[in-house]
């Protein structure tokens, strides 16, 4: 089963960033960073959020030297092992969508019950598909104009089938045999 | 507005003029997306390529400050194209000939140098707006109201809707939106210097008698003249005409133009009272602060821009010394010699609607849960929810029940750009933060998405000419003052213009804006001031500077608020 990913419909997006606020609120809890995992991006003519595509042969996974990013087929995504991240930012460089970020936060250095000081702990910040959220991704649910959807293998196949149908409908006009056209 | 917001979805054509719903009212923007999905034509006329422009059938980039010239030419094109409804004009309007005397002077060609609009595109838009079979809605916002010729533009828009018969029938009309949450409610409830609740004039002796009788006071105790407007308080204080100012739920030092000057003026008052839920910059200079309750702590009724009353209820009880606004007003009134007592907001509401015929049918019962009531609403019948569309059949609220057509000549804005101040500054909204930011700035998620020192939108070519890169801190200044803020390079705006949102404390655009009001609406010309912007070479210094300014301001406000952090003993101070 292929990975899933979040896709916007830029025509319907109104650039309101409600998806970002919902994402931030979902991750605003212990052990996580209160930072949105998708960013609404504006050009002259397009407004739409950009998020991790959960690539099937993910450059970030291939670039990560310590296995902090890995393919997680059970959850149809590219997942994160935060404890392994060393903050090298290879994933940031490798991602063709600009959808991965690294941030650090000062945390206590603990051994047993002893605190030895503090250190900068690095975190990978990118879409996790909200797999622990029963209602599905928070951004999809929050979107005012239903611009966002969770794309999976079935949905992708449906889209492809529709496109083929549309394409072949026009091809009928090219028939070399009289009578092949249905009036 | 003459139409209802849900009804926008069924309009045949929606034309937005100086209104960016995606930033100001995302819920309205959603309705417009749905209207488009249902087949409506969309026209957007704005100096910026706003979000809705992306789904528009026709987008017209208009020069800043050219509204009347454009609309006159638009009306001219409607007449020239034969798109006007002569029968409707004859039966339901007056003054067409005088109106056309002005309109005929403005052609799409001779206004092009003022508006920057291609005549063919203007004509195509006029045809699309005026000939929609299911009816057109003309929506406008602060891009109309915060201009020098604001009232004139409103007249022109209403006349345009009348001559094309895009008012007085379903799915068509004019849709002015309000600049703030519940501004409609404040006006409906008579929070205006010239009106009692329900738009009943203070200068009308019959109205005064009615209210005097209901409130049990001699009629001469009720003022018979129009009071001062908020936007004139500063000047009036400086002139010695206003000595005390009771400021309630506003932070004028953040939201009013020429803020540095206003601060000096307000500091000269004998008495400044602020009633608020957070320590704002205006509270900081107040003599007395009365702590109110927030939207989550009280109940009441909001009015939407489309005249719809909606009830809301408290989620949590008030904290500490805080009282509901109506309780504070009642107690002050009692101490000043007029005993005022209400048990709850329903009592106040019922008294109000008994005095306002147009609101009489808006009972609390009707607004229970997700219920609503849209004025005018005279019947208390539980199934009557009021009037979604005004003026149906072409019956207007004038004495002769006809629309009076009005046209005006174009005038240029007050402060034009020049060599020293070559950029036009226009103040706008951005999604996420709201008004003076005292509420949204205290919301963690919204602060993470956008924080101080705010942003100045600048065209990439203007930025390149000044050596400014996206995200850098820049200095912006005008004849009034200066501010430091972050550059946001935006190709969607006109060259030669910059845009700032008015909620940033450090990057405060109102230190730059011109304070000029018209003599009818007294609304400031927030959409047009001259300014300049420059790069700052030492960005490390700049970042530290804005961080320091923000920390100092927050520190000062926290120190001011600290005096109240005393656990109340027994009864609150006011009781």
């Amino acid at each position: 089963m292929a990975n899933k990913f979040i896709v916007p419909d830029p025509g319907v997006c109104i650039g309101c960033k409600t998806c970002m606020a919902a994402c931030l609120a979902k991750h605003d809890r212990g052990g996580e960073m209160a930072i949105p995992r998708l960013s609404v991006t504006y050009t002259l003519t397009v407004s739409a959020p950009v998020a991790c595509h959960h690539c099937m042969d993910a450059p970030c996974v291939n670039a990560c030297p310590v296995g902090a990013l890995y393919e997680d087929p059970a959850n149809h995504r590219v997942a994160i092992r935060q404890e392994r991240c060393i903050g090298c930012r290879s994933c940031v460089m490798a991602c063709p969508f600009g959808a991965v970020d690294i941030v650090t936060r000062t945390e206590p250095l603990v051994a047993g019950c002893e605190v030895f000081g503090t250190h900068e702990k690095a975190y990978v910040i990118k879409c996790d598909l909200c797999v622990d959220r029963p209602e599905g991704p928070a951004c999809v649910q929050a979107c005012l104009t239903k611009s966002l959807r969770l794309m999976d293998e079935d949905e992708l196949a449906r889209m492809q089938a529709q496109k083929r149908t549309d394409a072949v409908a026009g091809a009928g006009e090219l028939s070399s045999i009289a009578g092949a056209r249905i009036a | 507005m003459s139409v209802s917001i849900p009804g926008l979805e069924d309009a045949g054509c929606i034309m937005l003029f100086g209104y960016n719903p995606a930033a100001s009212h995302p819920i309205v923007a959603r309705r417009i997306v749905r209207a488009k999905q249902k087949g409506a034509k969309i026209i957007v006329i704005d100096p910026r390529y706003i979000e809705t422009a992306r789904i528009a059938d026709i987008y017209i980039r208009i020069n800043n400050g050219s509204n009347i010239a454009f609309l006159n030419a638009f009306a001219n094109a409607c007449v020239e194209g034969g798109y006007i409804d002569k029968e409707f004009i004859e039966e339901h309007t007056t003054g067409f000939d005088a109106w056309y005397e002005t309109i005929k002077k403005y052609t799409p060609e001779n206004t092009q140098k003022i508006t920057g609009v291609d005549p063919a595109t203007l004509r195509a838009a006029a045809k699309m707006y005026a000939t929609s079979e299911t009816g057109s809605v003309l929506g406008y916002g602060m891009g109309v109201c915060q201009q020098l010729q604001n009232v004139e533009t409103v007249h022109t828009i209403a006349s345009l809707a009348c001559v094309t018969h895009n008012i007085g029938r379903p799915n068509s009309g004019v849709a002015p939106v309000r600049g703030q949450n519940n501004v409609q409610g404040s006006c409906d409830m008579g929070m205006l210097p010239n009106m009692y609740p329900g738009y009943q004039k203070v200068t009308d002796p019959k109205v005064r008698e009615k209210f005097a009788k209901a409130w049990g006071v001699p009629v001469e105790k009720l003022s018979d003249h129009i009071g001062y407007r908020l936007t004139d308080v500063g000047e009036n204080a400086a002139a010695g005409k206003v000595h005390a100012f009771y400021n309630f739920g506003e932070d004028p030092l953040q939201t009013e133009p020429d803020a540095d000057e206003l601060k000096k003026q307000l500091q000269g008052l004998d008495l400044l009272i602020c009633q608020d839920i957070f320590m704002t910059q205006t509270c900081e200079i107040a003599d007395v602060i009365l702590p109110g309750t927030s939207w989550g702590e009280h109940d009441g009724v909001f009015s939407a821009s489309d005249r719809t009353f909606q009830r809301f209820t408290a989620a949590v009880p008030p904290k500490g010394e805080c009282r509901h606004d109506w309780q504070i007003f009642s107690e002050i009134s009692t101490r000043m010699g007029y005993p005022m007592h209400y048990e709850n907001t329903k009592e106040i509401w019922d008294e109000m609607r008994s005095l306002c015929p147009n609101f009489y049918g808006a009972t609390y019962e009707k607004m229970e849960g997700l219920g609503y009531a849209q004025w005018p609403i005279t019947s208390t019948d539980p199934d009557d929810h009021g009037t979604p569309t005004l003026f149906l059949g072409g019956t207007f609220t004038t004495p002769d029940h006809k629309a009076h057509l009005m046209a005006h000549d174009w005038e240029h804005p007050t402060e034009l750009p020049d060599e020293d101040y070559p950029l036009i500054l226009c103040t706008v909204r951005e999604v996420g933060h709201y008004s003076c930011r005292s509420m949204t700035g205290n919301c963690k998620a919204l602060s993470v998405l956008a924080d101080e020192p705010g942003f100045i939108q600048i065209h990439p070519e203007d930025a390149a000419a000044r050596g400014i890169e996206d995200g850098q801190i820049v200095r912006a200044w005008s004849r009034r003052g200066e501010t430091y803020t972050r550059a946001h390079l935006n190709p969607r705006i006109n060259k030669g213009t910059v845009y700032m949102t008015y909620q940033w404390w450090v990057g405060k655009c109102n230190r730059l804006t011109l304070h000029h009001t018209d003599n009818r609406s007294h609304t400031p010309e927030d959409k047009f001031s001259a300014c300049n912007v420059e790069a700052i070479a030492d960005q490390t210094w700049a970042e530290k500077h804005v961080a320091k300014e923000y920390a100092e301001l927050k520190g000062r406000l926290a120190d001011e608020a600290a005096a109240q952090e005393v656990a109340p003993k027994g009864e609150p101070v006011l009781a």
Side-chain angles (χ1 to χ4, degrees):
Chain A
M1 186 75 177
N3 284 353
K4 300 177 182 179
F5 54 109
I6 308 282
V7 211
D9 174 349
V12 176
C13 175
I14 57 170
C16 70
K17 297 186 183 173
T18 305
C19 51
M20 292 174 70
C23 180
L24 186 153
K26 151 71 174 74
H27 293 98
D28 186 7
R29 56 184 190 184
E32 285 199 87
M33 298 287 250
I35 297 172
R37 270 69 174 159
L38 73 177
S39 21
V40 179
T41 305
Y42 309 86
T43 70
L44 180 59
T45 52
V46 177
S47 306
V50 178
C52 172
H53 278 245
H54 298 276
C55 306
M56 303 292 289
D57 182 7
C60 60
V61 172
N62 298 335
C64 183
V66 291
L69 285 152
Y70 66 101
E71 291 288 347
D72 175 14
N75 288 307
H76 313 290
R77 63 171 184 165
V78 171
I80 305 161
R81 292 185 192 99
Q82 295 289 15
E83 69 281 6
R84 290 199 187 182
C85 178
I86 55 171
C88 73
R89 288 157 293 176
S90 300
C91 52
V92 180
M93 304 267 288
C95 176
F97 299 102
V100 188
D101 208 353
I102 297 284
V103 294
T104 61
R105 136 170 118 182
T106 311
E107 288 183 1
L109 205 53
V110 185
C113 14
E114 205 78 9
V115 178
F116 288 93
T118 58
H119 75 132
E120 288 298 301
K121 170 72 189 106
Y123 285 85
V124 181
I125 302 293
K126 73 161 202 74
C127 170
D128 59 5
L129 292 180
C130 291
V131 290
D132 54 348
R133 192 173 181 273
E135 308 92 325
C139 56
V140 174
Q141 198 182 18
C143 179
L144 286 184
T145 56
K146 298 192 166 55
S147 153
L148 291 175
R149 60 179 162 164
L150 182 63
M151 185 66 76
D152 59 16
E153 211 166 42
D154 294 344
E155 183 65 19
L156 209 55
R158 265 194 296 277
M159 263 179 69
Q160 274 181 310
Q162 183 61 48
K163 282 182 183 168
R164 288 191 197 106
T165 309
D166 293 347
V168 84
E173 297 292 325
L174 304 175
S175 173
S176 61
I177 302 169
R181 291 171 63 178
I182 297 161
Chain B
M1 53 178 71
S2 81
V3 290
S4 77
I5 292 172
L8 290 176
E9 291 184 18
D10 298 315
C13 171
I14 297 173
M15 177 159 112
L16 298 186
F17 188 82
Y19 174 38
N20 180 10
S24 326
H25 312 91
I27 295 294
V28 177
R30 174 171 69 176
R31 299 272 184 199
I32 295 170
V33 168
R34 284 195 197 141
K36 173 77 180 180
Q37 286 167 332
K38 286 164 92 169
K41 298 283 186 199
I42 309 286
I43 305 168
V44 171
I45 299 147
D46 204 283
R48 292 184 297 168
Y49 190 77
I50 58 170
E51 290 296 340
T52 311
R54 300 193 300 111
I55 56 165
D57 296 274
I58 298 177
Y59 166 67
I60 292 177
R61 188 187 289 280
I62 186 176
N63 284 342
N64 300 56
S66 67
N67 284 353
I68 289 276
F70 175 86
L71 288 167
N72 284 354
F74 195 91
N76 187 307
C78 288
V79 178
E80 171 204 74
Y83 314 138
I84 58 171
D85 185 332
K86 286 181 180 148
E87 201 180 299
F88 186 81
I89 293 168
E90 188 62 38
E91 285 177 25
H92 300 284
T93 73
T94 62
F96 180 82
D97 292 342
W99 175 82
Y100 190 58
E101 277 304 302
T102 301
I103 295 299
K104 74 178 182 192
K105 293 186 290 184
Y106 294 81
T107 66
E109 281 75 18
N110 72 17
T111 53
Q112 187 176 3
K113 65 177 187 303
I114 302 170
T115 62
V117 176
D118 164 52
T121 313
L122 185 149
R123 286 196 173 90
K127 185 177 183 185
M128 188 177 279
Y129 167 75
T131 61
S132 163
E133 269 180 34
T134 23
S136 295
V137 174
L138 206 169
Y140 63 91
M142 297 305 115
V144 163
C145 303
Q146 294 174 341
Q147 303 272 7
L148 174 69
Q149 288 190 287
N150 45 20
V151 177
E152 289 85 348
T153 312
V154 171
H155 291 163
T156 308
I157 285 172
S159 302
L160 184 61
C162 289
V163 297
T164 59
H165 193 184
N166 276 312
I167 195 160
R169 58 189 184 121
N171 308 321
S172 62
V174 287
V177 293
R178 298 303 198 147
Q180 308 288 346
N181 181 35
N182 208 30
V183 166
Q184 183 73 41
S186 300
C187 297
D188 291 353
M189 294 304 114
M191 294 285 287
L192 291 166
N194 57 341
M195 297 285 182
Y196 283 107
Y199 302 95
Q200 302 176 82
K201 290 179 179 159
V202 298
T203 50
D204 184 340
K206 276 195 198 134
V207 168
R208 279 205 309 280
E209 262 170 47
K210 178 169 80 171
F211 280 91
K213 199 176 156 210
W215 293 339
V217 291
V219 70
E220 38 312 341
K221 283 273 186 188
L222 298 185
S223 169
D224 61 356
H225 59 273
I226 296 167
Y228 296 129
R229 272 87 173 176
L230 171 70
T231 48
D232 301 331
V233 163
E235 279 172 16
N236 283 326
K241 290 191 208 163
V242 167
H243 301 277
F245 175 33
Y246 188 160
N247 173 55
F248 147 58
E250 289 248 0
D251 184 10
L253 293 186
Q254 183 64 38
T255 59
E256 293 299 313
D258 200 0
D260 291 351
E261 183 65 23
L262 182 64
K263 186 170 183 178
K264 283 183 225 153
Q265 292 165 337
L266 295 187
Q267 279 172 328
L269 287 163
D270 296 337
L271 174 65
L272 175 57
I273 303 169
C274 279
Q275 187 165 317
D276 214 308
I277 58 171
F278 288 113
M279 180 57 67
T280 67
Q281 293 157 84
T282 312
C283 286
E284 190 193 358
I285 63 163
D287 301 295
V288 180
I289 296 169
L290 300 169
T293 49
S294 72
W295 56 269
E297 294 164 321
H298 55 225
D299 66 333
V301 177
F302 282 130
S303 306
S305 286
D306 68 354
R307 302 166 278 107
T308 302
F309 294 126
Q310 290 169 291
R311 247 183 88 188
F312 64 102
T313 50
V316 289
K319 277 184 170 178
E321 293 181 318
C322 298
R323 297 283 187 100
H324 300 314
D325 294 320
W326 60 270
Q327 290 173 324
I328 297 175
F329 293 136
S330 295
E331 289 183 36
I332 286 183
S333 171
T334 303
R335 286 176 179 223
M336 289 178 78
Y338 176 76
M340 189 187 282
H341 181 80
Y342 297 99
E343 286 297 328
N344 49 44
T345 59
K346 182 173 184 292
E347 259 186 37
I348 302 171
W349 185 258
D350 286 342
E351 175 190 301
M352 185 282 303
R353 59 184 190 87
S354 75
L355 292 163
C356 301
N358 274 339
F359 305 160
Y360 185 70
T363 60
Y364 256 40
E365 291 71 27
K366 233 180 250 191
M367 298 186 283
E368 198 73 54
L370 294 175
Y372 67 97
Q374 196 167 13
W375 69 261
I377 178 162
T378 49
S379 163
T380 53
D381 175 355
D383 295 325
D384 184 347
H385 285 278
T387 317
T389 310
L390 294 179
F391 319 126
L392 280 179
T395 309
F396 295 94
T397 48
T398 47
D400 60 2
H401 302 298
K402 289 185 175 192
H404 301 178
L405 302 179
M406 294 166 100
H408 303 276
D409 282 311
W410 175 76
E411 287 172 42
H412 67 69
T414 308
E415 187 182 55
L416 295 177
D418 57 22
E419 215 169 88
D420 295 332
Y421 302 96
L423 297 172
I424 297 165
L425 167 65
C426 181
T427 75
V428 289
R429 315 296 166 98
E430 69 185 60
V431 75
H433 284 294
Y434 161 67
S435 193
C436 66
R437 213 172 61 89
S438 66
M439 291 198 289
T440 55
N442 278 298
C443 172
K444 184 177 173 184
L446 299 176
S447 304
V448 171
L449 293 184
D451 206 352
E452 297 284 354
F455 305 92
I456 185 165
Q457 299 175 42
I458 183 166
H459 193 275
E461 286 181 33
D462 291 323
R466 289 166 172 77
I468 294 168
E469 287 176 29
D470 192 42
Q472 284 186 337
I473 307 271
V474 295
R475 175 176 168 261
W477 74 101
S478 76
R479 289 180 177 85
R480 273 74 54 189
E482 64 162 15
T483 192
Y484 292 87
T485 185
R486 206 174 289 283
H488 168 211
L489 272 57
N490 187 352
R492 292 182 179 184
I493 65 174
N494 275 342
K495 218 183 134 202
T497 64
V498 290
Y499 289 80
M500 293 176 83
T501 45
Y502 66 81
Q503 75 261 350
W504 301 110
W505 298 354
V506 175
K508 192 194 276 191
C509 67
N510 277 328
R511 304 185 74 171
L512 273 51
T513 44
L514 174 77
H515 185 165
H516 183 277
T517 58
D518 70 288
N519 60 12
R520 278 170 295 199
S521 76
H522 296 249
T523 305
E525 197 180 346
D526 289 333
K527 296 291 181 194
F528 208 106
S529 310
C531 77
N532 205 351
V533 180
E534 68 178 7
I536 299 171
D538 189 347
Q539 283 294 307
T540 312
W541 171 86
E543 291 286 354
K544 280 184 187 158
H545 176 74
V546 297
K548 184 167 148 270
E549 275 205 13
Y550 190 24
E552 277 175 7
L553 178 55
K554 279 196 289 191
R556 273 204 334 264
L557 297 183
D559 287 348
E560 284 288 329
Q564 296 182 53
E565 284 172 12
V566 181
K569 285 175 192 160
E571 278 296 288
V573 183
L574 262 174

